[in-house]
Amino acid sequence: MPALSTLVARRVRQSLCACALAASLTAAVAVNPLPLGGPARAGADEAGPGPGSPQSRHRGEPALDLPNLLKEGNKPQGPTGDGVATPGSAGVPATALAAYRKAEGVLRGSQPSCRLPWELVAGIGRVESVHASGYGLRGDGSTVRPIRGPRLDGVGFALIRDTDGGRWDGDAVFDRAVGPMQFIPSTWGSWGADGNGDGVRDPNNIFDAALGTARYLCAGDRDLSRSVDLDRAVLSYNNSRAYVDAVRKWMDTYRGVGVVETPDDAPGAPHRPDPADRPAPEPVEKPEPKPVENPKPIEKPKPIEKPQPVERPQPVVDHRTVSRLEPLGSRELDAEAGRPVTRRPQVRAVDAHGHAVPGARITFRIGGTGGIRFATVPATTTATDVATVTSDPHGTATAPVLQAGDRPGRYSVVATASGVRGPAAVFTATVRPAAEPTADRLELWDQETANLPELSRAETGSRFPGLPSLRATYRARPASGVRIIARLLPADREEGAVDSTVGPYFEGADGAEIRTLTLPPAGADGRVTLPTLFTDQRPGTYTLRLTTPSGTVLDFPLTVTPPVSGPRTS
């Protein structure tokens, strides 16, 4: 009976403990519910910030060494291996520090409720790549060497198959974490940001990567001033308690001591998240055993050769190889027939990491015939529909000036480069029909010396002594090519009446009398010469009306008198 009562008591205690545990878990979920809807500001569910996201999986070796918190007196020592030269301070490369602080400023404006501290972003940057030390951090945020984690082929690390076609990590089969903040490409596709304002979201640039990290940590309306939200955010970046502890230690260190900007190229503690990227240790030679005196020689055993590890083939990315061409500006070009195209096509040559490729040979080729041509081409080619140029130090290649022909229509200009796998950069040039030249002002060529009353008087059966030339202008400039219509009308002609069939006339090729005539086009200086004007046998007053295509009118009064004496002059 005592044994039975003891067993019953034990069962009762186990039931009570189970109930208490279930109640506590229910309360915890009610207070701090886990995010179930994925990222609040991204469209790719698989890249959502949570404990099961690709970003949180085992994707490389973080630097989990902790800061040196030993104190001398009351002054804390700065963290070792961080470029620190003075007690009581922690060194961070100047460019990295600027990137972390800028990310905090951006989130303060876009998501103030997140309360993101820059020291948290810096803590992740320290643990992931030691602020890109050892990789040649530059002032623009890029690095001389790419920072990559191991190939995620499921051997030793997570299995994540390729999601970016090798664009960022140089591997088109499996993914690799990339950049100073070690982003998985699919995560970067959802949370990547342009932190330096150059128009490119590049995980290899510390300004872009720091802002992308800040956005990722603030997902799901987290408030990072709350410890539980901060832990969840860091666990979504790397689902490891040791990782969270290291990040928080470094964050607290940067908050608690004076942070010093160190030069980007100052000696630091380079960290390689990919173990295969580290130099192999030098082999240690073991001393040979002393020979034992023996009448018979003892053969030394042959050393057993250890099998050499098989090196995994690593993709090599040449930063001088163009992987794609990015069109700059609008792809739509415009021109009037016979005139230059308003804008020259431009492209930017970039490599697999989005870095500009200077000195690349870019070929622009025109599709179709007769519509447009290159007005000037390099001496290397005589064709007018193909031009090859070299990209400048910023990777920008500009096509030569395009000249539109006399055929209206739409024509293509295609930019290509050796090694580009993606779609070519295509521009479309629309050639519009040429607008008819016009003039908004007509005047006598030499108003001061022309004796208009004398020139505009003639006898019947004769001709006018010679009408003055005209000057046609448009917006105070010579209206070259404008065609003016000349019409001869009775002076008392009512508006809308039929044109006159008597009075002064121009003479046609067959001697016919012409009273409406389109004059030859104006010269380059806008000058228009009037042809000879004859009179018939009808005296009276008439008007020579000159009209431009836009409706500008100039009238000359003409007077025809009976002859005084003598026959008609010719």
Side-chain angles (χ1 to χ4, degrees):
M1 288 299 293
L4 179 59
S5 60
T6 301
L7 179 61
V8 171
R10 183 180 301 168
R11 296 293 187 188
V12 171
R13 284 197 303 270
Q14 289 177 348
S15 300
L16 292 174
C17 290
C19 294
L21 177 60
S24 63
L25 289 176
T26 303
V29 171
V31 174
N32 298 306
L34 293 176
L36 299 177
R41 294 171 175 82
D45 294 338
E46 67 274 7
S53 69
Q55 186 66 28
S56 70
R57 299 172 68 184
H58 189 31
R59 49 181 165 73
E61 292 190 0
L64 298 180
D65 56 303
L66 300 179
N68 179 10
L69 301 180
L70 298 178
K71 296 182 179 180
E72 293 182 1
N74 292 324
K75 295 182 178 180
Q77 285 279 22
T80 60
D82 232 19
V84 180
T86 58
S89 65
V92 178
T95 298
L97 185 59
Y100 302 147
R101 286 173 169 165
K102 186 173 183 180
E104 178 194 50
V106 172
L107 267 292
R108 190 186 304 119
S110 62
Q111 292 177 253
S113 61
C114 178
R115 296 179 176 85
L116 170 87
W118 70 262
E119 293 90 348
L120 173 58
V121 184
I124 289 180
R126 174 57 175 77
V127 173
E128 291 292 355
S129 67
V130 191
H131 312 303
S133 70
Y135 288 91
L137 182 61
R138 300 187 182 106
D140 63 356
S142 64
T143 57
V144 175
R145 293 182 55 203
I147 308 174
R148 295 180 185 151
R151 200 179 197 207
L152 300 178
D153 55 4
V155 179
F157 297 94
L159 173 61
I160 302 179
R161 302 193 182 278
D162 176 65
T163 59
D164 67 336
R167 176 184 181 186
W168 298 120
D169 56 10
D171 192 327
V173 180
F174 296 98
D175 268 348
R176 302 173 72 167
V178 294
M181 310 304 278
Q182 288 291 279
F183 268 101
I184 294 296
S186 62
T187 306
W188 182 255
S190 296
W191 298 93
D194 179 13
N196 58 0
D198 64 352
V200 178
R201 298 186 304 166
D202 185 358
N204 297 286
N205 186 288
I206 198 165
F207 286 98
D208 295 358
L211 183 55
T213 298
R215 294 182 64 242
Y216 184 86
L217 294 173
C218 285
D221 297 323
R222 293 186 179 119
D223 179 359
L224 298 183
S225 65
R226 300 175 63 232
S227 180
V228 63
D229 278 1
L230 192 146
D231 274 4
R232 285 177 175 172
V234 180
L235 283 171
S236 73
Y237 212 91
N238 189 313
N239 194 15
S240 162
R241 191 67 242 179
Y243 182 92
V244 175
D245 292 342
V247 169
R248 295 194 70 144
K249 286 286 187 182
W250 283 106
M251 179 186 72
D252 293 341
T253 298
Y254 294 139
R255 280 178 165 175
V257 300
V259 176
V260 175
E261 293 185 3
T262 61
D264 292 338
D265 57 354
H271 173 67
R272 304 286 184 263
D274 182 3
D277 194 28
R278 300 172 187 173
E282 294 291 335
V284 179
E285 294 185 1
K286 295 182 179 180
E288 295 183 2
K290 294 181 180 181
V292 179
E293 293 183 1
N294 196 307
K296 296 181 180 180
I298 299 176
E299 295 183 0
K300 298 179 181 178
K302 294 182 179 181
I304 300 175
E305 295 183 359
K306 295 182 178 179
Q308 298 296 324
V310 179
E311 294 186 0
R312 299 172 185 168
Q314 301 296 328
V316 177
V317 177
D318 187 352
H319 293 284
R320 295 168 298 179
T321 299
V322 181
S323 65
R324 70 181 187 280
L325 297 176
E326 298 176 344
L328 300 179
S330 173
R331 300 192 188 199
E332 294 293 328
L333 310 175
D334 182 76
E336 186 179 291
R339 300 183 66 84
V341 176
T342 53
R343 191 171 58 83
R344 297 160 65 183
Q346 274 190 326
V347 296
R348 181 171 178 257
V350 296
D351 62 15
H353 301 292
H355 300 150
V357 180
R361 301 280 289 171
I362 312 299
T363 298
F364 293 90
R365 189 181 303 274
I366 297 173
T369 57
I372 53 176
R373 62 180 177 83
F374 289 113
T376 58
V377 294
T380 55
T381 178
T382 57
T384 58
D385 60 350
V386 178
T388 300
V389 299
T390 303
S391 60
D392 64 16
H394 303 288
T396 300
T398 305
V401 174
L402 288 163
Q403 174 71 37
D406 56 359
R407 296 183 181 179
R410 288 171 65 84
Y411 303 89
S412 63
V413 181
V414 182
T416 58
S418 176
V420 175
R421 302 177 185 174
V426 181
F427 298 82
T428 301
T430 301
V431 178
R432 295 176 283 101
E436 184 178 358
T438 189
D440 57 11
R441 182 177 176 81
L442 294 174
E443 59 187 3
L444 294 180
W445 183 260
D446 194 349
Q447 298 189 62
E448 296 180 357
T449 60
N451 189 346
L452 188 58
E454 181 179 339
L455 297 176
S456 61
R457 180 180 294 274
E459 296 179 355
T460 57
S462 66
R463 62 183 176 184
F464 288 87
L467 295 176
S469 297
L470 304 176
R471 176 185 287 110
T473 58
Y474 182 71
R475 296 182 179 176
R477 294 185 178 181
S480 173
V482 65
R483 291 182 178 271
I484 298 171
I485 297 177
R487 301 173 68 191
L488 290 158
L489 308 169
D492 57 353
R493 174 180 179 272
E494 296 181 0
E495 195 68 30
V498 178
D499 290 350
S500 176
T501 57
V502 297
Y505 63 89
F506 299 108
E507 195 172 77
D510 55 356
E513 297 180 357
I514 300 175
R515 292 181 172 83
T516 298
L517 177 67
T518 300
L519 303 179
D525 54 0
R527 187 166 188 162
V528 180
T529 301
L530 297 171
T532 301
L533 188 60
F534 298 94
T535 63
D536 61 6
Q537 301 300 321
R538 188 69 62 89
T541 56
Y542 300 88
T543 298
L544 172 60
R545 174 162 293 175
L546 304 165
T547 307
T548 69
S550 61
T552 301
V553 175
L554 177 64
D555 287 342
F556 277 115
L558 302 175
T559 302
V560 179
T561 61
V564 177
S565 63
R568 171 182 173 180
T569 59
S570 60

